Amino acid sequence: MTQLDQFLQRAEALLARVESLLPAASKVPDWNAGVAFRWRGASGQRPGYLQPVGHISKIGLSDLHNIGPQKEQIDQNTRQFVEGRPANNVLLTGARGTGKSSLIKACLNQYADRGLRLIEVDKDDLHDLQDIVELVSARPERFIVFCDDLSFEEGEGGYKALKVALDGSIAAQSDNVLIYATSNRRHLMPERLSDNSTYTHTEDGDLHPGETVEEKISLSERFGLWVTFYPFKQDDFLDIVAHWLRHFGCNDAQIAEARGDALRWALQRSSRSGRVAWQFARDYAGKAQG
C-alpha cells in the first residue's frame, strides 16, 4: 500500500468519526425517545437538531393550587389542540413563581399519552422556528413549542422571528404546532415612560398609540390567548406550602407547626410565590426527616 493510500484511508476514518459526532441535517429524530425535546441550535458546521429530554418534571395539574381560572383556560386550550380542534397560541404573563411554566409541564404530563409533545426552544434559537415547524409538520403527534421566561431588548433578532412564526409568514401555520410562551412582561419588551410621547391626540380627543407602542404591542397581540397570573395572598401561600409538605411526607401536626417558619421564609425572600413555597417545603421536610 502506497503512502497516498494510507493517507486517504486515515482521512476517511477521521471523517467517519467526525460525522458520527455531528447530527446530520437530514437525520430523523428518535420520536420514541420521550415526550419532550430541546432544540439545539446550529453551531459552526453543526446543524440544529432535536435532543430528547431524558427526565421531565412529574408535576400534575392537581399540584397547582390557587390558579384555578388560569389552569382551566390552559387545560381547555390544550385539550382542544390535542383533540384536533381549533386552539390558540398562548402567552402566560404575570408575577414570578406563580406556576406559569409548571402549568405547561403539567399539561404535557396530562396529555402525553394522547400524543402531546413539547419542544423547548431558547430565545437565542427562535430564528430556527420555521425549521422546527417543518421538521414536525408531517408527524401525527401534536407539538407545543415552549419558550420559557421570554423577554426581548430593543433590536433583538428573535423578536421578529417569533412574530413571523406566529402570524407573519407566507406559509400557513401547521395545525399540529402551537407556541406557548411565559414572560414576566406582558408585552415581552421593556416599557418606558418615553414611549408615551409617541401617542398622538386628535382634535376631538381621540388617543392613538405611536409607532413605538404599536411595535411593542404587535408581538403579544399575535398570541390568541393571554393568561395573567397574580401574586398569592398569605393564605394561598400557606395552602401551597401545606400541599408540598404533605407531598414530601409531613403529617398534619408538622404542617401546622411549619406555618410560622414558612411566613418568615417568604419574608426573607420578599415573595409568597409558589416557587418559594416549594423551596421552603423541601428545606423543612428534609430537616424533619433527618
Side-chain angles (χ1 to χ4, degrees):
M1 181 180 292
T2 66
Q3 289 185 338
L4 178 59
D5 290 335
Q6 292 176 344
F7 172 78
L8 292 175
Q9 193 174 51
R10 288 197 298 271
E12 290 177 358
L14 178 61
L15 287 173
R17 291 179 60 188
V18 171
E19 288 176 354
S20 68
L21 298 174
L22 297 176
S26 59
K27 182 179 178 181
V28 177
D30 182 2
W31 300 111
N32 297 318
V35 298
F37 302 84
R38 285 193 187 92
W39 177 257
R40 297 303 189 187
S43 176
Q45 297 299 314
R46 189 205 71 192
Y49 66 100
L50 285 176
Q51 179 186 56
V53 177
H55 303 281
I56 62 173
S57 171
K58 299 298 184 182
I59 194 166
L61 291 173
S62 61
D63 291 320
L64 302 173
H65 290 212
N66 302 306
I67 54 170
Q70 296 91 335
K71 183 162 58 174
E72 183 178 351
Q73 283 183 286
I74 300 298
D75 182 39
Q76 176 65 40
N77 192 73
T78 306
R79 191 184 319 119
Q80 291 171 203
F81 178 55
V82 169
E83 294 174 356
R85 294 184 280 149
N88 276 305
N89 298 303
V90 183
L91 177 61
L92 301 85
T93 65
R96 67 186 188 276
T98 48
K100 298 185 292 294
S101 302
S102 296
L103 184 48
I104 296 174
K105 297 170 188 174
C107 283
L108 173 65
N109 291 326
Q110 181 76 11
Y111 296 106
D113 60 351
R114 296 172 62 179
L116 185 65
R117 300 293 181 265
L118 185 141
I119 300 174
E120 187 172 11
V121 181
D122 289 337
K123 180 178 72 171
D124 293 339
D125 296 323
L126 287 175
H127 53 80
D128 292 334
L129 276 175
Q130 290 296 334
D131 294 334
I132 297 171
V133 171
E134 290 180 11
L135 182 64
V136 304
S137 61
R139 295 293 305 174
E141 299 90 351
R142 318 290 287 179
F143 292 88
I144 288 177
V145 173
F146 176 37
C147 306
D148 194 25
D149 198 18
L150 196 59
S151 65
F152 297 98
E153 299 301 327
E154 302 289 349
E156 285 194 88
Y159 180 86
K160 293 190 181 298
L162 183 55
K163 282 177 64 175
V164 170
L166 285 167
D167 194 24
S169 174
I170 191 172
Q173 289 181 300
S174 177
D175 65 359
N176 72 332
V177 178
L178 285 182
I179 297 175
Y180 282 21
T182 70
S183 179
N184 294 329
R185 294 172 172 172
R186 183 172 185 179
H187 292 141
L188 303 173
M189 293 184 72
E191 298 180 65
R192 302 182 175 91
L193 286 174
S194 59
D195 295 341
N196 292 329
S197 63
T198 67
Y199 274 87
T200 59
H201 302 260
T202 62
E203 292 181 358
D204 59 0
D206 282 346
L207 184 67
H208 299 282
E211 291 182 359
T212 301
V213 177
E214 288 281 10
E215 175 65 16
K216 292 187 175 183
I217 295 174
S218 64
L219 174 57
S220 58
E221 73 175 4
R222 295 187 185 213
F223 288 90
L225 184 60
W226 289 6
V227 181
T228 305
F229 292 70
Y230 303 97
F232 292 124
K233 299 177 182 178
Q234 178 172 297
D235 288 345
D236 296 335
F237 173 74
L238 290 173
D239 174 65
I240 298 170
V241 167
H243 169 77
W244 287 119
L245 285 174
R246 201 169 286 112
H247 172 82
F248 289 123
C250 293
N251 57 39
D252 290 342
Q254 290 173 311
I255 292 172
E257 184 180 343
R259 290 171 61 91
D261 290 337
L263 293 176
R264 283 187 287 273
W265 182 283
L267 186 62
Q268 291 172 350
R269 300 297 184 89
S270 300
S271 173
R272 292 195 296 253
S273 71
R275 181 183 297 120
V276 169
W278 181 78
Q279 291 168 345
F280 168 78
R282 287 178 62 89
D283 180 79
Y284 188 92
K287 290 175 181 175
Q289 295 169 11

